[in-house]
Amino acid sequence: MGHAGQGMTRLSLSSRLGGPGDFRQVSMRDTQPDGRVSAAQNKAPPIQIRKPPIPGDKYDKKITLPVKFQKEVHLTLSRNLPQTSAPSNINQNVPPGKSRPLQSSGYNQQLVQNRLRDILNKYSNGFWVSKLPQLYRELYKQELPTEALKDLEQWSHVCLVEKPCSTNPAELLLYPAKEVPKTRPSSSPSSTSSPKPSPSMRNQSSSMCPGVSPSTSSLSSPPSSPVGLSPDIKVKLGELLAKYSNGLWANALPKLFQETYKIRFPEHVLDDLSVLEDICTVNYPMPDNLKKAILYPLRDVDENRNRVVPEHVSQTTQDVLRRPSAVPPLLIPEEEYPSVLVVEVASTVSVTLRFIGKDYSQAQESLEDEMREFYGQDSTRKRLSPLALGQLAAVKAEEEEEFLRAQVYEIMGDKAKVFYVDHGFSEVINTGKLLELHPKFFRLPFQATKCKLAGLEPFCQEPPVIKKFETMACGKILLAEILERGDTPLVVLYDTSQDDDVNINAACMRALQDKSLENTLEVNSTHMHVSVTNVCSDGSIYCQLSSRGLAKLTEMLEKTEAYFHSQVTSEFLVSRPFCGKFCLARYKGKWSRVEITNLHGSRVLDIQFVDVGVPASVEVIELREVPPPFLRELVAIPPQALKCSLTGLPLEVGSWTPDAVLWLRDAVLGSTECSIKIAKVDEAKRLVHIYLFTSKDFYDTGRSVNQQVADTDLWKHQKDVFLGSRGPGKKPSRPATLPSDGRASPQLRSSQHAPDLQLPPMLELPPLGQNIDMYVSVACHPGHFVLQPWKEQYKLVVLMGEMILYYNKTEERPVSVEKNQIYAAKVENNWHRVLVKCILTNGLVSVYELDYGKHELVSCTKLQPLISEFRQLPFQGITAQLAGIKPLQWSEEASMVFRNHVEKKALVAQIEVVHEAAQPWDRKVVAYLVDTSQEDRDIWVHDLMSEFAEELSKPA
């Protein structure tokens, strides 16, 4: 079809849509870096949408900016933010909505049949055919092709279809085929005939067709039943799953269960996950690998509401001070990182703040402007009488003309104590200042709200923590990462006003460190028995010094190890990870202290072992909470990893080649008998400049490791880089030793003789004219944007999490980079599937992200082979241009409007044309885009953009 037909059904997407992030498809949410998912799904009712106009010759002009879009463009420019494409990290939100069924005349019958076998094995007692689409959708997060329902009766080798109700021939029962072997363990080995319906099935059948019984021709013997689980085992499994609300890999259960409860895991559970259906739901993100299942606990959704009362108020008074029903509750902003003004702190579990934004601080300012105008007239000033606890009042601010909303919570004769509900503080005033609050000022929710600081709950009243927080946060506007919504949200606060973002929660935790356990670092001092724990790719190293702190740490970790061995540790699983969290992970077989540094969705995260300076990427199931008996002492010990720089050697990016780093690692890594001499202490950067020795000759800097590194020729020599302490005219000698594995530096070449590696299958698209939910990851202008299939996003999130775990644990090795070949590339903190577009002479490579549609420049050292496991999922990025408009020379203003309306949003696409190509990345589609987020109408994007051309036809 050329255009949208009349009466086409509106495709329902949530009114609040986001991008991909967490792999669980449960809700819609705005794009965010971290990836956690709220539980809200709002499907719009079907409505009629109009036929798009046929493009005409009037569009063959360069588009200018219509007057109606000038405000939008100016607002975008006023933010002073560069227009970039959508972030390609995996910390975006996963679109969980259900896509419209594809009305395709062709489908993969073998795949559907295999999946149907699995469903029938799980529900071997049979079920109504009408329930099959729902079961299929829940298990595979895809719609069942409608043609498959028509083909069921022909698949006698897969299933049996029965018509039990003569009065309603449309109702069919579905059973496993007789010859299909059962995959469930059978408690009745002699049972070989087809299963009969369960009691619930029988009741349903008789209720629908009174007097009619199901046919007994295939129901002669009882079905096989799965091996059950004891209630105790189910309780334990439920406890484990409850800790991982964002999902847990089923294959991680055995090790986690045995480590936690010290008993053997019932292995048959993995063969038949249906035995867990009353405690969890099962998702299969990799349909070709059904053993890769993700288990989600059954849970209720927290209400998104909040209420604030003043501090130190009795429970009786709090009951009086409940929000009047006429005042709406304050809803937490939908965005994951809202701006907040921190008002005051009573404890780390009671921080008063206000949200900043259009519906919050700006709405409050407008309301107070109305109050000033209203109460500025003497005729409207009516004293509040009689007084009662919990009453709302208007109070004139001292020495100002402002009127504020307040609530009375203590009466003391002619004075009253009031709480300013929008500003979060209390004051004692004369009762004569209390004025009646007009009902029209009830419409805005109370703006002052409470929150808890994540990770600091055990230290809620610690003076060092409170003092640090007051210094860093009170009276400032910060970003709040909302981890848990509820009556009192759980948040992490960030100060983004400096060059580097500051995690307020983590900084307050560090205030508890015992200064007496810190290492004494003085210039020209020497330290013996130094252990080098890590050598980084930029040439910096981490050392451990012999100290009281290290001895104390060793003692406490040994106690922790013994405690974990002797206790049932389900309560120590980390259920809510966040950046800056202090917890434990395994390092060389023992529990060690770590800090979470980055999250990739909800399952994979980056950590730093704070006592050895080693970064790692792990799954959340590998983390443990610090046991309460040891928490305070472990928090008090400062990090034992000392970050150092070798004096005389640069730390600039690109100065250290991989060979130079390998040489240094071979020379010093793991040694516990090194010595250092401190040359300089940089407190601001937390960096110590040292001379490093592998012998006791620490008085002669000429014999230092610094000098040995400088004497090698493993450097990428640059005119502006001077290595070592020798004169610039002295030529470096050959290294005394070569890397033990003989690895060479990366080789760059452009070759047509590339290895013949298997490409992923081509992404399947719906028939022309059909609807499909899409996420716009990149939008340059209407002639070029990139789409991603909405319902496949969670598979991409799972894939990228697996890539992070694989490549971050794999030692980087030099790769022969070839043009027009695909690789895995590390872009910032994530690994992407990329196509090499161009090889530059400065060691950089231009790559194209095949799943997100972005172009990036990366160092050749950040490329690794894309192994076959990561070549199974089709590349998710689809290059597209907008249908309904002829190709034009789009102005930057027009492109800006287009980006504002489509980028990082989920829309409905109607594909009109597909330009096929030999390679997936060269394929291009022409598609209409429809925004269905409005309740009352659908917005066709090409109609929106056509107004630019219409503006030209208006008289001057």
Side-chain angles (χ1 to χ4, degrees):
M1 89 182 207
H3 309 287
Q6 292 283 359
M8 186 187 73
T9 303
R10 169 189 171 94
L11 232 179
S12 60
L13 286 174
S14 171
S15 61
R16 184 165 54 87
L17 304 180
D22 191 359
F23 47 77
R24 185 181 184 188
Q25 290 189 295
V26 293
S27 65
M28 303 288 190
R29 60 177 302 173
D30 294 327
T31 302
Q32 46 118 344
D34 108 321
R36 286 168 290 277
V37 178
S38 62
Q41 188 169 350
N42 179 22
K43 302 205 76 175
I47 64 172
Q48 302 294 322
I49 54 180
R50 51 196 166 83
K51 182 176 181 179
I54 300 175
D57 295 337
K58 66 179 181 178
Y59 298 106
D60 291 328
K61 298 180 182 180
K62 180 180 175 72
I63 293 181
T64 57
L65 183 66
V67 174
K68 66 175 292 185
F69 294 119
Q70 290 180 4
K71 182 178 180 180
E72 176 181 343
V73 172
H74 288 197
L75 178 61
T76 302
L77 294 176
S78 68
R79 295 174 182 154
N80 202 22
L81 294 173
Q83 292 294 321
T84 59
S85 58
S88 59
N89 58 34
I90 67 172
N91 291 339
Q92 300 169 334
N93 299 334
V94 150
K98 301 171 183 176
S99 296
R100 183 184 182 90
L102 302 182
Q103 304 299 325
S104 172
S105 58
Y107 65 97
N108 189 335
Q109 287 196 8
Q110 186 62 47
L111 177 62
V112 174
Q113 289 175 3
N114 291 339
R115 291 176 173 179
L116 181 57
R117 284 192 181 96
D118 293 321
I119 294 174
L120 289 169
N121 286 333
K122 182 176 182 180
Y123 300 95
S124 58
N125 289 333
F127 54 86
W128 296 106
V129 171
S130 58
K131 290 184 64 67
L132 179 58
Q134 176 187 349
L135 295 173
Y136 192 93
R137 186 185 307 117
E138 290 175 351
L139 283 175
Y140 303 107
K141 302 306 178 187
Q142 293 181 4
E143 298 294 339
L144 176 71
T146 53
E147 286 76 8
L149 292 173
K150 303 175 184 177
D151 297 337
L152 289 176
E153 294 190 32
Q154 303 173 16
W155 296 349
S156 58
H157 62 294
V158 176
C159 60
L160 293 177
V161 180
E162 183 181 325
K163 299 179 181 179
C165 296
S166 58
T167 59
N168 187 2
E171 282 298 331
L172 304 176
L173 281 170
L174 200 62
Y175 303 106
K178 291 183 179 181
E179 64 271 22
V180 177
K182 302 291 187 296
T183 58
R184 287 179 161 193
S186 176
S187 60
S188 178
S190 62
S191 178
T192 58
S193 60
S194 300
K196 63 182 179 180
S198 63
S200 61
M201 281 285 186
R202 293 183 177 181
N203 294 338
Q204 180 182 5
S205 173
S206 31
S207 65
M208 295 179 63
C209 308
V212 179
S213 300
S215 170
T216 59
S217 60
S218 61
L219 310 178
S220 57
S221 60
S224 59
S225 61
V227 176
L229 287 177
S230 69
D232 181 60
I233 295 295
K234 279 197 173 184
V235 168
K236 288 180 168 57
L237 288 172
E239 288 179 355
L240 285 181
L241 293 173
K243 286 288 186 176
Y244 302 109
S245 58
N246 289 312
L248 174 68
W249 285 113
N251 58 12
L253 271 179
K255 179 181 177 182
L256 191 62
F257 185 88
Q258 290 176 212
E259 178 186 295
T260 302
Y261 297 108
K262 313 298 188 280
I263 59 177
R264 184 176 178 80
F265 177 76
E267 296 290 346
H268 72 272
V269 170
L270 297 183
D271 298 326
D272 182 14
L273 295 174
S274 65
V275 299
L276 303 178
E277 59 189 9
D278 55 341
I279 61 174
C280 69
T281 58
V282 184
N283 184 13
Y284 295 90
M286 300 179 181
D288 296 331
N289 184 0
L290 297 181
K291 293 185 178 180
K292 272 283 189 179
I294 303 174
L295 310 179
Y296 299 103
L298 302 177
R299 59 176 181 174
D300 296 327
V301 181
D302 291 331
E303 293 186 2
N304 182 18
R305 297 173 182 265
N306 199 6
R307 180 178 63 90
V308 175
V309 295
E311 291 303 317
H312 313 300
V313 176
S314 67
Q315 184 60 49
T316 302
T317 306
Q318 288 190 29
D319 293 338
V320 174
L321 285 180
R322 295 188 182 278
R323 173 183 53 81
S325 58
V327 180
L330 179 68
L331 299 181
I332 299 174
E334 301 296 346
E335 60 205 280
E336 188 182 8
Y337 288 91
S339 295
V340 298
L341 172 64
V342 179
V343 179
E344 65 178 8
V345 55
S347 70
T348 65
V349 295
S350 181
V351 176
T352 304
L353 51 80
R354 292 162 48 198
F355 292 112
I356 306 298
K358 177 182 177 182
D359 298 325
Y360 299 92
S361 59
Q362 294 179 22
Q364 176 194 332
E365 291 173 4
S366 298
L367 181 133
E368 290 179 354
D369 287 343
E370 291 182 42
M371 291 179 65
R372 181 176 64 250
E373 182 177 350
F374 180 84
Y375 289 105
Q377 307 171 21
D378 291 338
S379 60
T380 60
R381 297 189 182 187
K382 298 179 181 178
R383 290 186 58 182
L384 186 63
S385 179
L387 294 181
L389 294 180
Q391 281 184 297
L392 292 181
V395 178
K396 183 178 180 181
E398 289 293 335
E399 300 179 0
E400 296 182 14
E401 294 299 322
E402 299 293 331
F403 286 85
L404 309 178
R405 297 190 300 177
Q407 192 171 21
V408 179
Y409 73 91
E410 189 174 352
I411 301 173
M412 303 168 288
D414 61 347
K415 293 185 179 294
K417 195 169 188 178
V418 298
F419 178 71
Y420 293 102
V421 294
D422 297 314
H423 296 271
F425 65 93
S426 304
E427 185 180 25
V428 177
I429 62 174
N430 292 322
T431 56
K433 292 185 177 182
L434 295 174
L435 306 176
E436 287 186 4
L437 185 66
H438 193 279
K440 71 177 182 178
F441 300 123
F442 286 22
R443 69 179 185 272
L444 185 70
F446 297 158
Q447 294 299 296
T449 186
K450 296 286 186 184
C451 74
K452 297 180 291 186
L453 301 179
L456 293 171
E457 299 93 332
F459 313 105
C460 58
Q461 297 287 356
E462 293 289 332
V465 173
I466 302 300
K467 182 178 179 181
K468 187 71 172 179
F469 185 83
E470 288 177 337
T471 302
M472 298 187 69
C474 286
K476 296 182 180 180
I477 294 179
L478 308 172
L479 288 187
E481 179 185 9
I482 301 176
L483 303 180
E484 181 182 280
R485 296 168 182 266
D487 288 340
T488 307
L490 186 69
V491 304
V492 180
L493 297 177
Y494 296 91
D495 185 349
T496 60
S497 62
Q498 307 299 321
D499 292 337
D500 295 323
D501 294 347
V502 178
N503 186 315
I504 302 294
N505 299 41
C508 291
M509 180 75 80
R510 287 193 287 270
L512 294 169
Q513 293 175 3
D514 186 348
K515 301 295 184 183
S516 67
L517 297 178
E518 291 183 344
N519 293 302
T520 302
L521 303 174
E522 297 180 354
V523 176
N524 292 326
S525 64
T526 58
H527 297 263
M528 306 283 289
H529 306 296
V530 174
S531 176
V532 178
T533 56
N534 190 24
V535 176
C536 305
S537 58
D538 63 354
S540 60
I541 66 174
Y542 283 88
C543 300
Q544 276 187 351
L545 309 185
S546 297
S547 64
R548 289 180 56 241
L550 183 59
K552 180 70 172 177
L553 174 66
T554 303
E555 175 190 352
M556 295 308 303
L557 289 178
E558 288 176 353
K559 291 181 179 180
T560 302
E561 198 80 33
Y563 184 85
F564 277 138
H565 280 298
S566 63
Q567 299 289 322
V568 173
T569 57
S570 60
E571 66 270 27
F572 300 125
L573 302 176
V574 174
S575 60
R576 190 177 293 107
F578 55 88
C579 287
K581 181 174 178 60
F582 178 80
C583 51
L584 302 173
R586 303 292 278 182
Y587 179 73
K588 293 185 176 181
K590 296 183 178 181
W591 292 109
S592 301
R593 301 190 303 173
V594 300
E595 180 179 327
I596 298 176
T597 57
N598 189 37
L599 288 94
H600 306 279
S602 60
R603 186 176 65 91
V604 179
L605 42 82
D606 297 334
I607 60 175
Q608 179 85 2
F609 288 93
V610 298
D611 298 307
V612 291
V614 174
S617 295
V618 299
E619 292 186 75
V620 67
I621 61 173
E622 299 178 52
L623 301 180
R624 297 292 181 274
E625 299 282 1
V626 179
F630 315 117
L631 178 59
R632 288 184 177 273
E633 290 181 277
L634 283 174
V635 167
I637 302 172
Q640 295 302 298
L642 186 66
K643 187 176 182 180
C644 303
S645 167
L646 299 181
T647 299
L649 300 176
L651 288 182
E652 290 85 356
V653 175
S655 295
W656 285 77
T657 64
D659 284 340
V661 174
L662 289 172
W663 187 96
L664 183 57
R665 286 175 179 169
D666 288 340
V668 302
L669 189 59
S671 173
T672 58
E673 293 300 326
C674 291
S675 306
I676 64 170
K677 182 177 181 179
I678 298 178
K680 178 184 175 183
V681 178
D682 190 338
E683 295 285 355
K685 297 182 179 180
R686 297 181 182 177
L687 184 67
V688 181
H689 298 264
I690 65 169
Y691 290 99
L692 178 64
F693 303 88
T694 56
S695 64
K696 297 182 180 180
D697 298 326
F698 48 81
Y699 295 105
D700 185 1
T701 57
R703 296 191 177 185
S704 64
V705 173
N706 310 45
Q707 191 64 52
Q708 294 178 45
V709 174
D711 287 341
T712 69
D713 64 351
L714 301 176
W715 294 90
K716 182 183 298 181
H717 296 291
Q718 301 172 359
K719 294 180 180 179
D720 57 345
V721 176
F722 170 62
L723 304 176
S725 56
R726 307 168 318 295
K730 188 174 181 179
K731 182 179 180 180
S733 61
R734 297 288 297 176
T737 59
L738 291 174
S740 58
D741 58 1
R743 284 175 282 192
S745 59
Q747 300 296 317
L748 300 179
R749 66 172 187 236
S750 178
S751 171
Q752 300 301 321
H753 304 287
D756 186 16
L757 296 175
Q758 178 186 359
L759 289 177
M762 194 78 77
L763 184 67
E764 292 186 9
L765 296 174
L768 298 184
Q770 290 282 336
N771 297 335
I772 182 172
D773 295 346
M774 289 286 190
Y775 179 74
V776 182
S777 60
V778 171
C780 298
H781 51 74
H784 180 84
F785 52 94
V786 178
L787 301 172
Q788 294 174 319
W790 177 275
K791 66 178 181 179
E792 299 294 313
Q793 292 288 334
Y794 75 105
K795 295 181 183 179
L796 178 59
V797 173
V798 170
L799 170 72
M800 295 190 69
E802 294 293 313
M803 290 177 66
I804 290 169
L805 292 173
Y806 176 81
Y807 289 111
N808 283 6
K809 291 180 179 179
T810 303
E811 184 177 358
E812 293 183 5
R813 291 183 175 272
V815 175
S816 179
V817 181
E818 301 184 12
K819 186 178 178 181
N820 296 325
Q821 295 299 311
I822 60 173
Y823 297 87
K826 190 172 187 179
V827 181
E828 295 181 349
N829 292 319
N830 300 306
W831 286 90
H832 294 264
R833 302 188 295 181
V834 302
L835 173 72
V836 172
K837 302 290 289 185
C838 181
I839 300 173
L840 308 179
T841 57
N842 59 356
L844 296 179
V845 180
S846 174
V847 299
Y848 176 73
E849 294 176 0
L850 293 162
D851 295 304
Y852 290 91
K854 289 182 62 179
H855 291 269
E856 297 283 358
L857 280 178
V858 299
S859 169
C860 62
T861 61
K862 300 299 182 182
L863 294 180
Q864 291 294 303
L866 186 67
I867 63 174
S868 60
E869 181 181 349
F870 304 140
R871 293 171 178 259
Q872 306 306 312
L873 182 70
F875 297 133
Q876 297 295 293
I878 308 170
T879 305
Q881 72 180 59
L882 190 63
I885 294 182
K886 285 189 175 182
L888 295 164
Q889 183 70 31
W890 297 96
S891 66
E892 179 54 34
E893 293 85 357
S895 300
M896 185 183 301
V897 170
F898 179 73
R899 285 194 294 267
N900 288 344
H901 283 276
V902 305
E903 191 169 69
K904 303 180 188 177
K905 293 184 179 180
L907 306 171
V908 176
Q910 278 190 351
I911 299 178
E912 294 296 293
V913 180
V914 178
H915 298 290
E916 296 291 355
Q919 303 296 349
W921 49 83
D922 292 326
R923 185 166 62 163
K924 188 171 185 177
V925 303
V926 181
Y928 291 102
L929 295 179
V930 188
D931 184 351
T932 62
S933 62
Q934 302 292 326
E935 289 293 333
D936 56 342
R937 67 190 183 105
D938 291 324
I939 301 174
W940 290 79
V941 177
H942 77 284
D943 281 350
L944 191 72
M945 300 309 299
S946 68
E947 297 185 29
F948 284 91
E950 293 175 0
E951 190 75 12
L952 294 176
S953 61
K954 293 181 180 180

